[in-house]
Amino acid sequence: MLKEIKYLIFIIIIILFLFFTGKYYFSDENIKKSYRAYKNIDEKIKVYSKDLPILENDTQDIIEYVKQTNKKKKKKFNFWKLLEND
């Protein structure tokens, strides 16, 4: 009997938690606050992007290409010839 009452109380608590969470999340007040927060973030990004310094491009001729003078012959692999030897 006590076990069933305990499970009933757990189920009621879970349902109340989900109900109040959903009620708060979908309320007009929360939607307005979240919209204002998004708008403020966009405005802050615009303000900070105006103050960003532009760096000089110092990556000219960074990569040096080296010619290989050693021309090694690559070994040719013949897969079908390996199967024929069986």
Side-chain angles (χ1 to χ4, degrees), residues 7-63:
Y7 288 138
L8 181 64
I9 291 173
F10 287 154
I11 291 173
I12 290 172
I13 289 172
I14 291 171
I15 290 173
L16 286 174
F17 174 76
L18 292 174
F19 172 74
F20 286 121
T21 303
K23 185 177 176 184
Y24 175 75
Y25 182 75
F26 293 113
S27 68
D28 290 334
E29 182 180 342
N30 184 43
I31 293 172
K32 287 178 185 177
K33 284 182 183 178
S34 63
Y35 177 71
R36 287 180 191 146
Y38 292 141
K39 190 174 180 182
N40 288 340
I41 289 171
D42 288 339
E43 290 174 0
K44 287 180 182 178
I45 289 173
K46 288 178 185 176
V47 169
Y48 289 137
S49 66
K50 289 179 183 177
D51 296 334
L52 286 176
I54 297 175
L55 301 176
E56 269 186 49
N57 184 7
D58 60 348
T59 59
Q60 297 295 329
D61 299 325
I62 292 295
I63 299 175

Side-chain angles (χ1 to χ4, degrees), residues 61-67:
D61 299 325
I62 292 295
I63 299 175
E64 294 179 11
Y65 294 100
V66 179
K67 292 184 179 179

